[in-house]
Amino acid sequence: MAVPSRGRGVAGWSGPGEGPSEHALAWATRGFTVALRCGGVAAAIVAAAVDDGTGISRTWQLAVFGGLVVWAGLFSVTVARRGLTLPLVAGDTAAVSLALLAQPRLVPVSAVVDETTWAIMLAGTAVYVALLAAGQVTGLLLASAVIAAYMTGVPAETSQVRSLIVQAVGVSAIMWLLRRGGRRADVIVADRDRERRQAMVEAARRADERTYRSQVHDSVLSTLTMVASGAVPADSPGLRKDARRALRVMERFSGDALDGDGAPVDLSERLRGLIADQSTRVRVDLVLARGGDAGGIEVPEAVAVAITDAAAEALRNVARHSGASRAWVRAEQDDGSVTVTVLDGGRGFEPARVPAARHGIRYSIVERMAVAGGRATVTSRPGAGTGITLRWPRG
């Protein structure tokens, strides 16, 4: 089986630039578009059934409405499983447009003249679905295709074309305002989160400094004081033990370590050890690319610890929650940056819907990387697996 590339199977339709507001808007419109499609088809069938049937083919009506019922069911199931994708919305436009082009065989001329035709309801739902689910320009193009199909197929002149145009322009303007406001909110939230992460990094640095001072006081200074005072013989086993402990404290809390530098270590070896220690419930494959196979991936000790611990938490989540039997860890070094990605093909989830009480991803992965000067991103979707990307330094 080929190793999946980074982000495969988990990226959303709107692309990597999509913000939280766009995710929320897409989630909110799912149920509404399904109701529009199913309700529009049902209303069209009821309206067609009460028509007098003059000048139309009931056989054609049965065939077209049967196809629309099948499409409405397929549309609903696909939205529930994969969300509103561009091919699905384009397919909805095509299905409704084909039905509208067949109006001369489906819609009585009298119903068009009286402006009581079911075709206008069906066209209206397709316009709404296109503008709610697709982007601004794409939605307008799809809505225009529906209006053109209605105008081409309608068997008599009608003023209801204007209502479709007004609907398209109005809904497009509303969606533009919603997306614009959402993007502004995303910027505000991103700035706030950046400030919070910076404050968290500074708090962690101060905590390290306090720990360093307290351990220097408890071990190094006390040992030196005993030696200087002569209270303990120089060859005392207890003094040698205290001196070794003090030396370990000095090595651990060296000035370089506090600054996030220190002697570099091989991250690839740390990852190999991590995978070797994992539970056998999930098979984990390690892929080293661009720098990983040649000279190793060298990072400061503190960074290696943060990345390894975050990857370990990600693999534990795979074993606990994903339902997958296999996962991949991909590590690469490029132009001074290091990226480690943990991928699985499991059941996936909606990151925005994770309860605030769940601390695994937020604290054990995201904030752990932030403290080390890096960043972590989580990409997932129900039924499409999960990808967790750890990057240092923060890019």
Side-chain angles (χ1 to χ4, degrees):
M1 180 177 179
V3 177
S5 60
R6 287 163 47 189
R8 176 182 175 185
V10 293
W13 159 37
S14 297
E18 185 182 75
S21 66
E22 197 74 21
H23 279 290
L25 185 60
W27 181 265
T29 55
R30 284 185 179 185
F32 191 46
T33 54
V34 169
L36 280 171
R37 175 47 52 238
C38 295
V41 172
I45 293 174
V46 172
V50 299
D51 281 342
D52 58 14
T54 303
I56 64 172
S57 170
R58 291 296 187 185
T59 303
W60 270 78
Q61 277 192 344
L62 183 63
V64 170
F65 284 132
L68 288 175
V69 168
V70 172
W71 169 250
L74 180 62
F75 182 89
S76 303
V77 172
T78 306
V79 169
R81 291 182 176 178
R82 299 185 179 181
L84 284 165
T85 62
L86 181 55
L88 182 65
V89 179
D92 187 73
T93 298
V96 174
S97 296
L98 289 174
L100 295 175
L101 290 173
Q103 288 181 87
R105 296 178 178 269
L106 305 174
V107 180
V109 175
S110 59
V112 178
V113 174
D114 295 338
E115 297 187 347
T116 58
T117 170
W118 54 263
I120 195 67
M121 296 186 295
L122 189 64
T125 59
V127 168
Y128 274 106
V129 169
L131 292 171
L132 290 174
Q136 199 71 27
V137 176
T138 305
L140 279 173
L141 291 175
L142 294 175
S144 299
V146 173
I147 296 173
Y150 179 83
M151 294 174 61
T152 302
V154 68
E157 291 187 6
T158 174
S159 62
Q160 290 191 324
V161 174
R162 290 195 295 270
S163 69
L164 286 177
I165 296 174
V166 171
Q167 287 179 21
V169 173
V171 176
S172 177
I174 292 173
M175 296 303 295
W176 179 79
L177 290 173
L178 285 174
R179 291 189 174 104
R180 182 186 180 193
R183 286 192 293 269
R184 289 182 176 179
D186 288 342
V187 171
I188 295 174
V189 172
D191 290 341
R192 184 198 64 188
D193 289 345
R194 190 179 303 111
E195 294 173 357
R196 182 181 62 83
R197 287 194 298 267
Q198 184 61 35
M200 181 187 63
V201 171
E202 293 300 326
R205 188 182 299 276
R206 289 194 296 270
D208 284 344
E209 291 174 352
R210 288 195 298 270
T211 302
Y212 168 69
R213 294 191 188 101
S214 63
Q215 294 206 22
V216 166
H217 176 273
D218 294 342
S219 59
V220 180
L221 294 181
S222 62
T223 301
L224 292 176
T225 300
M226 287 188 294
V227 173
S229 64
V232 179
D235 59 349
S236 169
L239 182 59
R240 288 196 296 270
K241 182 178 179 181
D242 291 341
R244 284 194 297 270
R245 185 173 68 249
L247 181 60
R248 286 195 298 270
V249 169
M250 293 297 293
E251 290 174 346
R252 181 180 179 187
F253 295 97
S254 63
D256 288 341
L258 285 173
D259 292 334
D261 299 326
V265 299
D266 188 354
L267 178 62
S268 56
E269 289 299 323
R270 298 290 182 93
L271 293 175
R272 289 190 184 96
L274 166 66
I275 292 173
D277 293 339
Q278 290 303 302
S279 168
T280 57
R281 287 184 298 171
V282 177
R283 175 185 171 184
V284 182
D285 294 329
L286 175 64
V287 180
L288 302 176
R290 286 192 294 175
D293 291 322
I297 301 177
E298 292 191 341
V299 295
E301 168 74 22
V303 175
V305 170
I307 292 177
T308 305
D309 289 349
E313 177 64 20
L315 290 174
R316 283 192 290 269
N317 286 339
V318 173
R320 293 171 184 165
H321 308 298
S322 74
S325 60
R326 190 176 183 183
W328 293 264
V329 176
R330 176 188 173 92
E332 60 181 304
Q333 189 171 29
D334 184 25
D335 296 332
S337 66
V338 174
T339 303
V340 175
T341 307
V342 181
L343 296 171
D344 70 74
R347 60 176 61 98
F349 65 100
E350 289 283 354
R353 296 172 65 87
V354 175
R358 294 277 296 276
H359 294 172
I361 292 177
R362 180 174 295 113
Y363 296 111
S364 298
I365 297 179
V366 176
E367 293 196 0
R368 175 173 279 147
M369 288 299 299
V371 169
R375 64 184 175 91
T377 55
V378 181
T379 311
S380 186
R381 194 177 64 196
T386 300
I388 295 180
T389 302
L390 313 172
R391 185 176 178 85
W392 181 89
R394 187 188 311 276

